[in-house]
Amino acid sequence: PFHALEHSSKKYLIEHFIINYAPSSSVLQYCLDKSVAKGNKILSMALGDLTIGGFAGLPGTEMEITQLAELYPNMDYKIKNDFSETYLKQKAKDQNYIHLATHGVLNQIQPLYSYLLMSPTDDDDGRLTVDEIFSLNLQSKFVTLSACETGLGDIGDGDDLVGLSRAFIYAGSPGVVVSLWKVDDETTA
């Protein structure tokens, strides 16, 4: 099949092959050994135009979730004040797919305190940290982190990259979609 691609100037390898990568071979093995729940339950959550602390709202994230809801009418979704860390912690375990659209903050000094910003509740501060993500018990096929720089992290002891993506992998999701740079919320949608 590969030699057939050489003769066609309009075909691209990306159209014929799925490309995955892992931070290390041990992480790859860990992901391959993970069992994921069967089904198509989707949880999507977005900050929307909610301003929290010094963080501006992200109106494009609300559009992003609304468009997903049109494609997947049975999807469980929360926006603005309903987009809470508490709700995610309660519902994440039973989801096949999780989509989070918000601000991602990297703490380069203490990477375990890097976080995804959510609406605070009486039970949670609204900052879902790497440390908290490690304790989630997920069975998701993949998690999408639609936020700035969620693929960044810091090298910890043993040359492991500590960050949001590694935390979700460890929590039980063998696939994580992340960003390595700052992105505009309307473009991301």
Side-chain angles (χ1 to χ4, degrees), residues 104 145 147-152 178-184 187-188:
L145 302 180
C148 295
E149 301 176 332
T150 53
L152 300 180
V178 295
S179 170
L180 294 173
W181 50 83
K182 293 191 181 297
V183 291
D184 176 77
T187 305
T188 304

Side-chain angles (χ1 to χ4, degrees), residues 95-107:
Q95 302 301 316
N96 302 103
Y97 303 95
I98 299 173
H99 185 98
L100 304 174
T102 186
H103 289 287
V105 178
L106 172 65
N107 184 329

Side-chain angles (χ1 to χ4, degrees), residues 154-166:
D154 193 36
I155 303 295
D157 295 337
D159 293 335
D160 283 337
L161 183 67
V162 178
L164 292 165
S165 57
R166 176 63 183 245

Side-chain angles (χ1 to χ4, degrees), residues 111-156:
L112 288 175
Y113 296 109
S114 298
Y115 63 90
L116 295 172
L117 184 67
M118 300 177 182
S119 181
T121 63
D122 292 338
D123 297 324
D124 291 298
D125 63 2
R127 294 178 178 205
L128 182 66
T129 64
V130 167
D131 191 40
E132 291 172 312
I133 296 166
F134 277 131
S135 66
L136 295 176
N137 184 16
L138 302 178
Q139 295 180 2
S140 302
K141 294 176 185 174
F142 71 82
V143 173
T144 301
L145 302 180
S146 182
C148 295
E149 301 176 332
T150 53
L152 300 180
D154 193 36
I155 303 295

Side-chain angles (χ1 to χ4, degrees), residues 11-77:
K11 301 279 184 182
Y12 298 98
L13 289 177
I14 194 83
E15 295 174 2
H16 297 279
F17 298 95
I18 296 172
I19 299 172
N20 296 307
Y21 73 93
S24 69
S25 59
S26 61
V27 171
L28 176 62
Q29 187 61 51
Y30 182 81
C31 291
L32 293 173
D33 291 341
K34 277 298 200 186
S35 62
V36 294
K38 297 197 184 316
N40 290 311
K41 292 175 72 176
I42 304 170
L43 174 62
S44 293
M45 301 175 77
L47 184 65
D49 62 4
L50 186 65
T51 299
I52 299 175
F55 293 94
L58 299 169
T61 62
E62 186 169 349
M63 180 177 64
E64 184 176 334
I65 299 303
T66 304
Q67 289 173 345
L68 282 171
E70 289 175 14
L71 293 171
Y72 305 100
N74 295 329
M75 176 180 82
D76 181 7
Y77 67 97

